[in-house]
């Protein structure tokens, strides 16, 4: 599917077809995350529970790996 951006005030907007929104279970209240890999835009619904679990896992890994060094730096 090829789309063009449309004017929305001083910005540009991308209109997403209803069929795609329904497929992804996105409605007007769904928060979306927009990221890029440098050549593409990636738009996906935010998955709050999953994001929190990822952050907590990263913190636990960092704390386990660097706890001694962090204690030395703090002391």
């Amino acid at each position: 599917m090829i789309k063009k951006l449309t004017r929305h005030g001083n910005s540009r907007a991308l209109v997403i077809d209803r069929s795609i929104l329904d497929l992804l279970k996105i409605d007007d209240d769904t928060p979306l995350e927009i990221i890029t890999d440098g050549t593409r835009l990636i738009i996906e619904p935010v998955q709050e529970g999953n994001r929190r679990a990822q952050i907590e896992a990263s913190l636990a890994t960092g704390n386990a790996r660097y706890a001694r060094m962090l204690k030395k730096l703090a002391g």
Side-chain angles (χ1 to χ4, degrees), residues 19-49:
S19 59
I20 294 173
L21 296 173
D22 290 343
L23 176 69
L24 297 174
K25 297 180 176 99
I26 295 173
D27 61 21
D28 292 346
D29 298 324
T30 304
L32 300 173
E33 180 175 20
I34 301 172
I35 57 175
T36 181
D37 65 1
T39 60
R40 295 178 282 184
L41 285 178
I42 302 165
I43 304 169
E44 60 187 1
V46 173
Q47 299 174 357
E48 291 296 328

